[in-house]
Amino acid sequence: MKKEIKVIAIPDDTRIIINYGHEDDVDRDDLPFGSEPKYAKVGQQIVVESKGMELTDPDTNEPLGSYNPPIDYLEITDVRDKYSIARKKVSKSLNSSSVPPLIKEASSPKFKNLNVNNSDVKNIKPDPVISVGDIVEFVD
């Protein structure tokens, strides 16, 4: 059974602790064919997610997993035997106040609304804050 990785503690407002460490690392030779290992190593990227909704195929009623909207992307900064610490990396880019508004706007991704059936829209939005118990996934 796959271990569910979660936020287990928030020691301060710059770091979180997750329940995944060196002892949880999987040797590639022990994995089923075609599957990828999870990594608990310094520099590994993770995403913290809000609990979203379970997905089911509408034709077969087969469970397909869950959609969990992302809250934030972090980086592992310290790995212990049974847990790891993650922090948000700050990129050393130009001072935000020195970047002209048009360049800021052009660099931000924009998405166009789709023509969808409004009664099917679930409006699932992530909780804007990270909390103990939030789900963590490793980013490939």
Side-chain angles (χ1 to χ4, degrees):
M1 183 172 161
K2 179 181 162 187
K3 177 179 183 172
E4 187 167 56
I5 306 167
K6 292 185 175 188
V7 175
I8 58 168
I10 305 173
D12 58 48
D13 66 357
T14 67
R15 69 191 93 222
I16 65 168
I17 300 175
I18 65 172
N19 61 340
Y20 200 89
H22 286 300
E23 290 182 1
D24 295 299
D25 281 340
V26 175
D27 185 0
R28 188 175 286 275
D29 295 334
D30 294 335
L31 291 172
F33 179 76
S35 61
E36 287 294 316
K38 295 195 179 312
Y39 296 98
K41 64 181 182 180
V42 172
Q44 176 63 40
Q45 303 296 309
I46 62 170
V47 59
V48 180
E49 302 171 332
S50 282
K51 188 70 173 160
M53 63 184 269
E54 295 301 317
L55 301 173
T56 306
D57 184 298
D59 295 327
T60 65
N61 287 324
E62 175 187 354
L64 302 175
S66 58
Y67 166 69
N68 300 314
I71 300 171
D72 214 342
Y73 292 84
L74 308 174
E75 183 175 300
I76 301 290
T77 59
D78 190 13
V79 181
R80 305 292 174 92
D81 287 341
K82 297 181 181 279
Y83 66 90
S84 297
I85 299 169
R87 303 176 89 173
K88 185 159 182 100
K89 189 173 185 178
V90 178
S91 62
K92 294 180 181 178
S93 60
L94 294 174
N95 182 341
S96 179
S97 62
S98 68
V99 178
L102 287 177
I103 293 178
K104 266 189 208 175
E105 188 176 322
S107 65
S108 300
K110 302 282 188 247
F111 300 99
K112 187 174 179 173
N113 288 353
L114 302 172
N115 186 16
V116 298
N117 183 340
N118 286 335
S119 66
D120 289 336
V121 175
K122 303 292 185 216
N123 282 318
I124 297 173
K125 294 186 169 80
D127 188 335
V129 297
I130 296 172
S131 301
V132 170
D134 283 341
I135 302 161
V136 174
E137 294 285 340
F138 284 87
V139 177
D140 295 329

